[in-house]
Amino acid sequence: MLVLLPPSEGKASSGRGAPLKLESLALPELNGAREAVLGELVELCAGDEDKAREVLGLSAGLRGEVAKNSALRTAGARPAGEVYTGVLYDALDLASLDAAAKRRAARSLLVFSGLWGAVRVTDRIPSYRCSMGVRLPGLGALGAHWRTAMDSVLPEAAGGGLVLDLRSSAYAAAWKPRGEVAGRTATVRVLHAPTRKVVSHFNKATKGRIVRGLLAAGAAPKGPAELVEVLRELGYVVEAEAPSGAGRAWSLDVLVDEVH
C-alpha cells in the first residue's frame, strides 16, 4: 500500500541537526528536479525580500519564512514526519505509534511537496515554505515542473498494490495515476454527514485518523474494494464509487458527524 499525503503549511523548526543531504532522500531520480527548485528558491529568498514574498504568496508577517528559505542548504534537517505539522499530522500522530506501525509508515507514506516533489516521512529535510501552487520566475508553475519527473518515477514507487490518494487538489496536480495504476487507486473525500459538504477541519483530521488506523491495525488491503471493507471494520461510514472505465480511480466518500 502506498499512501499519498499533502504536506502542511505549518512546519516545525528545523532544529540543530545535520544539514540536508539531497542524495539521501528517497526517490533519488527526483534529485535533478529537486535541485532545480532548491537552487532557484534559495537564490530568490537571498535577494529581494519583497519579490520573494510576492512569489511565495506570503504576508509581511511571514517575512521570516523568506530568511528561512535562504538558508535551506545549511539549516538543520529532521525527519519529514516531524517537520510537517497541522491538523492531518496531529491526528496521524506518528510519534505515538508503536514500532511496527512506524515501520509501516516509513514504507507506505509519501508526502508531496512543492520543494521536494515527494518524500518519505523518514527523509531528513529542513523546514521550508514553498507550496505546490507557487510559480517561480525561472521554472514556472511547480505543479507542471514536477509532473514530468513524477510520471517517470511514481508508477514504480506505487508497486503492485493499493494507492490511497489523500492529497489536496494542488498536490494531486503534480502526479495523476494512469492506466493500470489508476485502477487500483482510491481517492477519498471526507464529508460532514448532515450537510454532505467538505469541511476543511473534518477532512484533514479524519484523513489523519484513517491513516493512523490503517497503520496501527497493520491493515494491508490489496485494492480499493478491500480498503472499503477495512475502513468499515475500523468504524467508518464509507460510500464507494467504482470507476466507470479503465484508467480511472475509485472514489470513496467517508461520512462523519464530528471529529474528536
Side-chain angles (χ1 to χ4, degrees), residues 121-181:
V121 292
T122 50
D123 283 343
R124 299 182 64 86
I125 59 173
S127 181
Y128 67 96
R129 190 65 171 254
C130 183
S131 71
M132 191 65 78
V134 163
R135 179 181 292 272
L136 291 174
L139 290 176
L142 289 180
H145 171 76
W146 285 113
R147 204 170 297 131
T148 299
M150 294 288 191
D151 280 344
S152 63
V153 174
L154 266 293
E156 182 178 350
L162 169 71
V163 178
L164 175 54
D165 190 351
L166 302 178
R167 297 172 295 168
S168 55
S169 58
Y171 291 90
W175 180 62
K176 181 179 180 180
R178 303 180 189 279
E180 181 270 336
V181 178

Side-chain angles (χ1 to χ4, degrees), residues 19-213:
L20 169 74
K21 292 183 179 179
L22 204 63
E23 65 276 11
S24 72
L25 300 182
L27 308 179
E29 299 88 348
L30 297 178
N31 281 351
R34 287 166 173 155
E35 178 58 43
V37 180
L38 178 63
E40 184 170 353
L41 183 63
V42 169
E43 182 178 0
L44 171 71
C45 292
D48 186 318
E49 181 188 279
D50 290 336
K51 179 182 178 181
R53 285 200 295 107
E54 180 182 358
V55 169
L56 297 175
L58 301 176
S59 66
L62 293 173
R63 65 178 65 251
E65 300 294 289
V66 174
K68 183 167 67 175
N69 280 350
S70 71
L72 283 171
R73 294 191 186 276
T74 56
R78 59 196 295 187
E82 297 177 11
V83 171
Y84 293 116
T85 60
V87 175
L88 188 154
Y89 291 90
D90 284 348
L92 174 53
D93 195 9
L94 286 167
S96 69
L97 291 171
D98 65 31
K102 286 179 179 176
R103 288 193 294 271
R104 289 189 282 271
R107 292 194 302 267
S108 62
L109 304 188
L110 198 62
V111 184
F112 275 61
S113 162
L115 174 53
W116 314 114
V119 292
R120 301 286 186 184
V121 292
T122 50
D123 283 343
R124 299 182 64 86
I125 59 173
S127 181
Y128 67 96
R129 190 65 171 254
C130 183
S131 71
M132 191 65 78
V134 163
R135 179 181 292 272
L136 291 174
L139 290 176
L142 289 180
H145 171 76
W146 285 113
R147 204 170 297 131
T148 299
M150 294 288 191
D151 280 344
S152 63
V153 174
L154 266 293
E156 182 178 350
L162 169 71
V163 178
L164 175 54
D165 190 351
L166 302 178
R167 297 172 295 168
S168 55
S169 58
Y171 291 90
W175 180 62
K176 181 179 180 180
R178 303 180 189 279
E180 181 270 336
V181 178
R184 48 187 168 83
T185 297
T187 63
V188 174
R189 293 191 308 172
V190 178
L191 303 180
H192 184 214
T195 63
R196 298 193 67 84
K197 292 182 179 179
V198 176
V199 180
S200 180
H201 181 83
F202 287 104
N203 183 52
K204 293 175 182 178
T206 302
K207 286 179 176 178
R209 294 173 69 194
I210 284 171
V211 176
R212 181 179 178 84

